[in-house]
Amino acid sequence: MTVPALLEWDRDELGRRRDELLDVYAEAMQVSASAARARRPIVSAHLDRPGLRAVGGTDDDGRLVGVAYGYLGAPGQWWHDQVAAALTPSIVDSWLTGAFEVCELHVRPAAQGQGLGRALLEQLLTGPPAATAVLTTPDRETRARGFYRDAGWVDLLRGLMFPGDPRAFAVLGKRLLP
Ligand SMILES: CC(C)(COP(=O)(O)OP(=O)(O)OC[C@H]1O[C@@H](n2cnc3c(N)ncnc32)[C@H](O)[C@@H]1OP(=O)(O)O)[C@@H](O)C(=O)NCCC(=O)NCCS
């Protein structure tokens, strides 16, 4: 497969394509479609976040095969506050404050390993008015862990637990400015 053309979505397009995004999420994260669709309100709540950027990659038939989105985080947002409470104040100052938060990055399994994830992430991180980017990912040696390490992301914290989720997460950061 050649890497599909990537399209930047505005917030209206992200809202319109929310269910498609969650179908890609379901396949990539190996959860049921209904579990993924339960995340509809989360995506909807993100649509008016400052600095929202979204990028989608479709195949020749227009089917979404990979997607990424994020926004500028701020105190008062659930994920931001959970992560801020777990990091040291100096890491909050130097990495989290004003950071672009990568919320979702997913590629359908059949399209993985062909450069699409890297292309989506690079395009997503071209443009946000932020000095750093941050994200959380399951703290296991998954494909995503190796992928992020390879792309220059560093561990800011390991073993973070979110309420109601039995999985441990790693908080990763990447500097966007030289
Ligand atoms: C993580 C994910 C987005 C990566 O997308 P992808 O399209 O498979 O990744 P790419 O093909 O663009 O990989 C780019 C580079 O990352 C590196 N890489 C990828 N997987 C790697 C691994 N397991 N170990 C080390 N490096 C890896 C490689 O250097 C690769 O470059 P190469 O093609 O020259 O070998 C995708 O695998 C995915 O959707 N996984 C499941 C969902 C998920 O975990 N999302 C992230 C949640 S935070």
Side-chain angles (χ1 to χ4, degrees), residues 89-161:
S90 83
I91 292 182
V92 170
D93 281 352
S94 55
W95 285 95
L96 187 65
T97 302
F100 184 80
E101 296 177 0
V102 177
C103 190
E104 305 288 356
L105 169 65
H106 302 294
V107 173
R108 289 193 196 268
Q112 290 179 9
Q114 299 166 67
L116 177 55
R118 188 211 305 254
L120 285 165
L121 192 55
E122 280 178 3
Q123 179 130 357
L124 188 71
L125 298 180
T126 302
T132 57
V134 291
L135 60 82
T136 45
T137 192
D139 194 5
R140 293 181 290 115
E141 271 312 307
T142 58
R143 178 170 178 80
R145 282 296 256 146
F147 165 85
Y148 287 125
R149 205 174 290 127
D150 194 66
W153 292 73
V154 296
D155 287 2
L156 303 178
L157 180 72
R158 301 194 57 185
L160 172 66
M161 305 301 293

